[in-house]
Structure formats: structure tokens, C-alpha cells
């Protein structure tokens, strides 16, 4: 299967283009808003408060957003949520332009942003199976991930230049990206809901939870999605510690570290897209997960900065391959009426990351960055390896059954 096979469908091209633009704006705000919080307050605590506000909002709202993605026309959900994201960027731009920004402004805007993203991303994700034939679904999921990964590399660099030019320009650029994303989705089909109606919001919500809890296969995949959130991905927030305390290099080298992870993640998503025709995907996911943990250990124990960069590249490739395969298996092994709710549950696992960073930071303070991250990587690799040994069905799991 061609790496870009799903893009042959004009409707998926529109969805992908809108997702690319939306991801660009979202990634830019993840850099610009913490920067603004620190500039306004001079406090790292304030920066953490703003970040935690978004994470908590995402965690609380995600289940309801999944119901909306299944019960309401997906185009309507995406357009409405995109309008709210546009509004938050516009308000931040006006605050900066008028010079009245305060930390509490940013906390409120982070809460609104965190409450909106769970409506936007699951609706986009659950749109994919409605647009593509089943044989192209894995390719479509991987390409959607590539749109996010490209922006992990490009968006921070672009927003850094814009912030240096003028902070207000950075935020109004995000407004323009959201407008463009809305224009692309306006050309999409309505995306009528598949979920059966008549059970009410609470019934739909509990139905999704019941299905996830009672279905062993879904439970396992959600657990496998949570493992790297707890034991793997917090490494990203610890990179400044390695830059300053372990490798003792300048700030520009920190940017290279993040860029290396981003390039690796993009490579991983494109690899999954290229080999999306493989039916059995459980074993590749297990291999990617073990490699993710092992690469984290190698990074943590690297004797120098230049040894650490290749390890970070492998971290990016393996982590994104693992996540994309996991998401594909989940979306192809549930009924269409549950697509939105399953996507929202996946988002809930990711939204827990800001909450996990706090105890990880405490471990780093107590035992040092090297040993803390090495132990976490080893535990991640061991946990996934144990799953592969004790659950033989995982090794033979396939897309679509």
C-alpha cells in the first residue's frame, strides 16, 4: 500500500488539511501560552498552573466530548469547537496587544482551550472510518498522526520567530490557522451520527464506559495506551533538566533535542502509513513498545549529548509507531457507533500526562534525572514485554478483528 493512499480520497484530503492547520495552531499555543505566562509572572509555578488547568479540563470533559462525537453531526462538532479555539487565540492576541495580560486570564483561557480540544480531536479522528474503506483505515490514521508530528517539528520554530517579531502577531497567526481549518471542514459531508438515539446523554456515556470496561480487548488496548503516558512520555518535560544539569549544553541544543524527537515521530507515523497493509499488527506494536522503553534507557544513560540524540530519534520513531498502531487497532475493533467515545478515552489517557509530570519531577529531584528516567524506561519495556508473553493473542492481533 502506498504511504499516502488515503489522500486519494478528496474528502479525507480536506479532513487532513484541516487537521494539519488545526494541529499547527494547537502546537503553537502550547509554546506561546507558557512563554507568555512566564513573561507576565516571572514564576515557574504560574507556568505550571496554566498547563495543569488545560490538562484537568481535558480529562474532565473528554467523556462528554466523545458522546458528542457519536451523537451529533461530526462536521458541526468540529466547526463549533474550532470556533472556540479561534476565540481563545483571538482573546490572547487582544490581551497582549493591549498590554493587560494577567496570569488569571491565561488560566481561564487554558480551561476553555482544554475543554474544547476534546470535542475537536475525537470528532476528527472518528470521522476517518466514515470516509475511508476499511483497507485504507490504518493508512488514514497514520497520516492523521503525521499531520500532528510535522507540526511538532515546525510549529515551535515558527511561533518562536513570531514571538520575537511581536507576541500579538503569533496569536493572530493562530487565529488565521483556525479560520483556514474551519473553511476546509465546511466542505466536508455532515458526518451524521451512527450511535442509536433515545438513551440520552447519560445513557450514551455509560454505554461507552460499559463497553470499554466489559470488553477485554478494548480494556487491554486502553491499558497499553496508558502505559507510555505514565512511564514514557514524561521524558519530554524532563529534557530541560538533561540540557542544563546532565549534558550542560546551551538552550539551542535543547531545541535540537525536541526537534530530533519530532523528526523521529514523523518518521514513525509515515512508517506505519507505508506498512498499513499488514493485517497482523499486534507484534509490531509490542516490538515498538519494548524499543521505546529501551531507547529511553539508552538516552538516560548516554555519556554525552551527541550519544543522546540518536537515542531520542529512536524514542520518537518507536513511540509514535506504538501509539499509531494502538489507535488503529482500537478504531478497527469497535462498532462505528463507539468511534467518538473510544477516541475520547484515548484522549483521556493523553490528558493525564500533565498530572503525571508532578510525581515524575519529584522522583527526578530525589534520585536524579538519569536514574529516574532509566528506571521508568526499563519498567515500560518490561511491562510491554510481559504483556506480549502472557497474552499470546496480542502478538497475533489484527486490524479489523
Amino acid at each position: 500500500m502506498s504511504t499516502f493512499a488515503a489522500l486519494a480520497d478528496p474528502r479525507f484530503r480536506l479532513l487532513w488539511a484541516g487537521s494539519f492547520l488545526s494541529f499547527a495552531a494547537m502546537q503553537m499555543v502550547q509554546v506561546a501560552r507558557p512563554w507568555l505566562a512566564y513573561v507576565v509572572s516571572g514564576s515557574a509555578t504560574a507556568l505550571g498552573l496554566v498547563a495543569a488547568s488545560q490538562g484537568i479540563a481535558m480529562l474532565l470533559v473528554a467523556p462528554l466530548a466523545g458522546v458528542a462525537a457519536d451523537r451529533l453531526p461530526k462536521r458541526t462538532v468540529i466547526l463549533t469547537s474550532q470556533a472556540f479555539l479561534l476565540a481563545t487565540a483571538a482573546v490572547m492576541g487582544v490581551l497582549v496587544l493591549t498590554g493587560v495580560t494577567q496570569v488569571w486570564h491565561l488560566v481561564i483561557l487554558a480551561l476553555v482551550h482544554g475543554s474544547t480540544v476534546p470535542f475537536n480531536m475525537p470528532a476528527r479522528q472518528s470521522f476517518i472510518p466514515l470516509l475511508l474503506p476499511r483497507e485504507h483505515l490504518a493508512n488514514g490514521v497514520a497520516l492523521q498522526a503525521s499531520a500532528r508530528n510535522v507540526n511538532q517539528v515546525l510549529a515551535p520554530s515558527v511561533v518562536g520567530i513570531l514571538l520575537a517579531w511581536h507576541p500579538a502577531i503569533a496569536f493572530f497567526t493562530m487565529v488565521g490557522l483556525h479560520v483556514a481549518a474551519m473553511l476546509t471542514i465546511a466542505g466536508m459531508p455532515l458526518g451524521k451520527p451512527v450511535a442509536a438515539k433515545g438513551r440520552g446523554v447519560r445513557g450514551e456515556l455509560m454505554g461507552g464506559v460499559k463497553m470499554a470496561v466489559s470488553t477485554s480487548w478494548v480494556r487491554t488496548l486502553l491499558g497499553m495506551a496508558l502505559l507510555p503516558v505514565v512511564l514514557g512520555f514524561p521524558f519530554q518535560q524532563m529534557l530541560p533538566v538533561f540540557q542544563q544539569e546532565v549534558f550542560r549544553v546551551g538552550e539551542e541544543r535543547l531545541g535540537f533535542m525536541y526537534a530530533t524527537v519530532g523528526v523521529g515521530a514523523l518518521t514513525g507515523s509515515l512508517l506505519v502509513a507505508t506498512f498499513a497493509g499488514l493485517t497482523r499488527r499486534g507484534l509490531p506494536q509490542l516490538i515498538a513498545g519494548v524499543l521505546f522503553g529501551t531507547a529511553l534507557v539508552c538516552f538516560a544513560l548516554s555519556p554525552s549529548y551527541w550519544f543522546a540524540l540518536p537515542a531520542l530519534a529512536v524514542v520518537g520513531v518507536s513511540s509514535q509507531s506504538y501509539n499509531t498502531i494502538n489507535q488503529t487497532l482500537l478504531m478497527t475493533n469497535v462498532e462505528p457507533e463507539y468511534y467518538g467515545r473510544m477516541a475520547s478515552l484515548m484522549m483521556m489517557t493523553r490528558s493525564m500526562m500533565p498530572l503525571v509530570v508532578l510525581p515524575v519531577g519529584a522522583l527526578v529531584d530525589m534520585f536524579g534525572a538519569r536514574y529516574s528516567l532509566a528506571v521508568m524506561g526499563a519498567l515500560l519495556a518490561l511491562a510491554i514485554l510481559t504483556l506480549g508473553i502472557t497474552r499470546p493473542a496480542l502478538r497475533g492481533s489484527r486490524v479489523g478483528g
Side-chain angles (χ1 to χ4, degrees):
M1 183 181 295
S2 168
T3 303
F4 305 103
L7 290 173
D9 188 302
R11 301 171 304 169
F12 180 77
R13 281 202 303 271
L14 280 175
L15 180 68
W16 188 91
S19 298
F20 181 89
L21 295 166
S22 185
F23 288 148
M26 291 181 195
Q27 191 64 42
M28 288 171 72
V29 81
Q30 297 308 316
V31 175
R33 190 172 55 214
W35 174 88
L36 183 59
Y38 191 74
V39 167
V40 168
S41 66
S43 167
T45 301
L47 188 154
L49 178 62
V50 172
S53 299
Q54 176 176 319
I56 291 171
M58 290 176 64
L59 185 63
L60 295 177
V61 172
L64 182 62
V67 174
D70 285 332
R71 284 179 60 89
L72 302 175
K74 301 184 192 306
R75 187 179 68 189
T76 303
V77 174
I78 295 172
L79 281 172
T80 303
S81 59
Q82 206 78 50
F84 274 92
L85 293 172
L86 184 157
T88 60
V91 170
M92 281 189 284
V94 171
L95 288 172
V96 171
L97 200 60
T98 55
V100 298
T101 310
Q102 296 183 35
V103 172
W104 69 268
H105 293 146
L106 300 178
V107 169
I108 292 175
L109 289 170
L111 287 169
V112 175
H113 189 275
S115 301
T116 305
V117 170
F119 286 91
N120 190 276
M121 294 181 68
R124 288 184 178 279
Q125 195 68 34
S126 61
F127 220 144
I128 299 174
L130 302 184
L131 301 177
L132 297 175
R134 202 168 188 84
E135 62 270 20
H136 287 177
L137 180 55
N139 182 259
V141 171
L143 289 176
Q144 186 83 339
S146 73
R148 181 174 60 252
N149 292 328
V150 168
N151 282 300
Q152 286 181 339
V153 180
L154 295 181
S157 301
V158 172
V159 78
I161 295 171
L162 295 176
L163 287 171
W165 189 5
H166 194 291
I169 294 176
F171 289 110
F172 287 125
T173 298
M174 298 174 210
V175 171
L177 289 169
H178 286 305
V179 170
M182 292 177 72
L183 291 175
T184 59
I185 203 67
M188 294 286 295
L190 190 59
K192 293 182 179 180
V194 181
K197 294 188 176 181
R199 290 182 291 181
V201 174
R202 182 178 178 182
E204 294 284 355
L205 179 60
M206 295 309 298
V209 172
K210 182 179 179 181
M211 196 278 287
V213 171
S214 62
T215 307
S216 173
W217 179 237
V218 174
R219 222 172 37 240
T220 300
L221 287 175
L222 290 173
M224 293 181 72
L226 185 60
L227 275 174
V229 170
V230 175
L231 296 173
F233 287 116
F235 86 91
Q236 297 177 66
Q237 280 71 31
M238 298 301 117
L239 289 184
V241 180
F242 278 85
Q243 172 246 321
Q244 296 181 36
E245 304 295 335
V246 178
F247 301 129
R248 300 184 184 279
V249 293
E251 286 77 7
E252 72 282 357
R253 299 285 178 86
L254 176 62
F256 288 147
M257 292 166 75
Y258 280 112
T260 299
V261 176
V263 170
L266 175 60
T267 303
S269 59
L270 292 178
L271 279 174
V272 175
T274 300
F275 296 102
L278 292 176
T279 302
R280 297 187 181 275
R281 306 183 66 79
L283 184 58
Q285 184 190 4
L286 292 169
I287 292 172
V290 173
L291 185 59
F292 180 16
T294 304
L296 274 180
V297 175
C298 293
F299 164 71
L301 301 180
S302 293
S304 73
Y305 174 82
W306 298 109
F307 279 92
L309 287 181
L312 283 177
V314 177
V315 166
V317 172
S318 55
S319 62
Q320 187 56 51
S321 299
Y322 178 92
N323 269 355
T324 304
I325 295 173
N326 183 269
Q327 192 172 36
T328 304
L329 286 170
L330 183 65
M331 297 298 288
T332 53
N333 283 279
V334 299
E335 295 300 321
E337 67 180 88
Y338 291 105
Y339 285 158
R341 280 165 285 182
M342 293 305 103
S344 71
L345 287 174
M346 293 290 282
M347 173 160 283
M348 284 183 69
T349 63
R350 291 195 295 270
S351 66
M352 291 179 65
M353 198 179 304
L355 306 179
V356 174
V357 170
L358 184 60
V360 170
L363 287 174
V364 169
D365 287 338
M366 291 173 61
F367 303 107
R370 282 190 182 277
Y371 296 114
S372 298
L373 199 60
V375 169
M376 289 171 60
L379 289 174
L380 176 61
L382 182 61
I384 294 174
L385 184 62
T386 302
L387 278 172
I389 294 173
T390 59
R391 300 287 301 273
L394 283 176
R395 300 196 298 271
S397 58
R398 63 179 66 203
V399 172

